[in-house]
Amino acid sequence: MVEHIERQTKQKDAIRAALADCEEFISAQDLHRRLEDEGLKIGLATVYRQLNALADAGAADTIRLDGQQLFRLCGDDGHHHHLVCRRCGKTVEIDPPSEAWLRKVADGHGFTVESHTLEVFGLCSDCQKEQKAQKAQKAVSE
């Protein structure tokens, strides 16, 4: 049997370190821009490849928001899900729903559960306040 040994490279280490510095989910393009701003010359294709490899290995979580794939390293190795602010990207890890609830919902629709992902999108409290203030300002100006 041949054991697969993964090569560590400066680029891979730089991408992982930059991703670790992000508290929220980030796109490959934004992460690439951050790396360039730090003076690192890493191609966008390399960033995509490394982020997808991290996700495939289970080392990074991914979500889709506004048609874009976003990535995030999570400190907890356990199974978890996220609340994600669709406006500012603030992310909070949450415990998964109970298996009983998932099976009940699936059974109710004639499905079985093989795997699941759950991300909850909405507005964080800061963005809710900002949105209310903008609506109030707009009402005053009308």
Side-chain angles (χ1 to χ4, degrees), residues 10-99:
K10 288 182 183 180
Q11 291 179 332
K12 184 184 291 186
D13 290 343
I15 291 166
R16 187 180 187 99
L19 189 60
D21 286 342
C22 300
E23 291 185 21
E24 315 306 343
F25 281 91
I26 188 168
S27 69
Q29 296 92 344
D30 288 342
L31 188 63
H32 178 255
R33 195 171 306 112
R34 283 187 185 193
L35 291 165
E36 281 189 332
D37 290 347
E38 293 173 10
L40 299 170
K41 302 293 183 207
I42 300 175
L44 181 58
T46 300
V47 173
Y48 269 108
R49 189 170 43 256
Q50 291 303 320
L51 289 175
N52 283 313
L54 286 169
D56 289 345
D61 288 330
T62 66
I63 61 170
R64 292 205 68 79
L65 182 63
D66 295 331
Q68 201 173 30
Q69 185 176 20
L70 305 176
F71 300 85
R72 179 176 186 252
L73 286 181
C74 291
D76 182 5
D77 291 336
H79 187 72
H80 60 272
H81 301 279
H82 304 97
L83 291 170
V84 182
C85 181
R86 62 177 169 75
R87 191 175 200 183
C88 72
K90 179 179 179 180
T91 303
V92 177
E93 290 184 14
I94 58 174
D95 291 328
S98 73
E99 289 296 319

Side-chain angles (χ1 to χ4, degrees), residues 1-9 12 50:
M1 178 187 232
V2 177
E3 185 178 322
H4 176 72
I5 298 174
E6 194 168 309
R7 221 173 49 135
Q8 283 305 111
T9 65
K12 184 184 291 186
Q50 291 303 320

